[in-house]
Amino acid sequence: MKTAPWFAVFLGILLLTGCASPEKPRAAIIQASLESATIVSGGSTNLILDAKDTGKVPATVKFTVTTEAPDKVGFSYPAGLEFTLQPEETTGKKLIKVTGTSETIKTSYRINIFLVDSQGTPYDQREVILDVTKGT
């Protein structure tokens, strides 16, 4: 009967490892910046984005970009901003064309960048400020 305690310990270890939940995918934005933070009204600049799978399992990521003034700031997305990344893999630098208009001397617009999974659950978020001047 000396094997009974060892068998119980072994069975307990098997149950614990079998019941442990698998690791959830993780990812983070590693770059979110504007090529030029100031543009003339009607002009454009590029928003540079890059993300990384920071977990130990593959992660599906998608960039979503919004602004507080969609009538004044527009985005031109390249085809496909959704990626499946392996652990430690990055999306590489992705460019989104940003255009802006202003009716005053200078207007600052907040641009929100979200990194989400395929169901829309957020991994990470950042914000950048675009200044648009009226021009001469």
Side-chain angles (χ1 to χ4, degrees):
M1 285 292 151
K2 289 185 177 186
T3 59
W6 288 107
F7 181 73
V9 170
F10 179 70
L11 185 60
I13 291 172
L14 283 177
L15 287 174
L16 287 175
T17 58
C19 295
S21 61
E23 182 173 336
K24 293 181 181 179
R26 294 189 323 233
I29 297 170
I30 57 175
Q31 182 175 9
S33 60
L34 293 165
E35 276 184 354
S36 176
T38 303
I39 61 173
V40 175
S41 184
S44 64
T45 187
N46 285 317
L47 174 61
I48 305 165
L49 301 176
D50 197 358
K52 181 178 183 178
D53 181 340
T54 58
K56 295 183 180 182
V57 296
T60 299
V61 300
K62 180 179 180 180
F63 288 110
T64 304
V65 181
T66 64
T67 181
E68 61 193 355
D71 57 325
K72 301 290 183 182
V73 178
F75 305 105
S76 296
Y77 291 88
L81 286 176
E82 187 168 338
F83 310 91
T84 299
L85 302 175
Q86 298 302 314
E88 300 298 314
E89 184 179 21
T90 68
T91 59
K93 292 182 179 179
K94 304 302 174 196
L95 301 179
I96 295 176
K97 184 177 180 181
V98 180
T99 57
T101 58
S102 175
E103 296 171 4
T104 62
I105 294 173
K106 178 181 170 185
T107 308
S108 297
Y109 299 107
R110 181 180 23 228
I111 298 172
N112 298 302
I113 301 105
F114 299 94
L115 186 66
V116 298
D117 67 12
S118 56
Q119 285 79 39
T121 305
Y123 287 121
D124 197 5
Q125 74 179 49
R126 298 279 175 90
E127 76 175 39
V128 296
I129 302 296
L130 174 67
D131 292 324
V132 182
T133 60
K134 187 164 182 168
T136 55

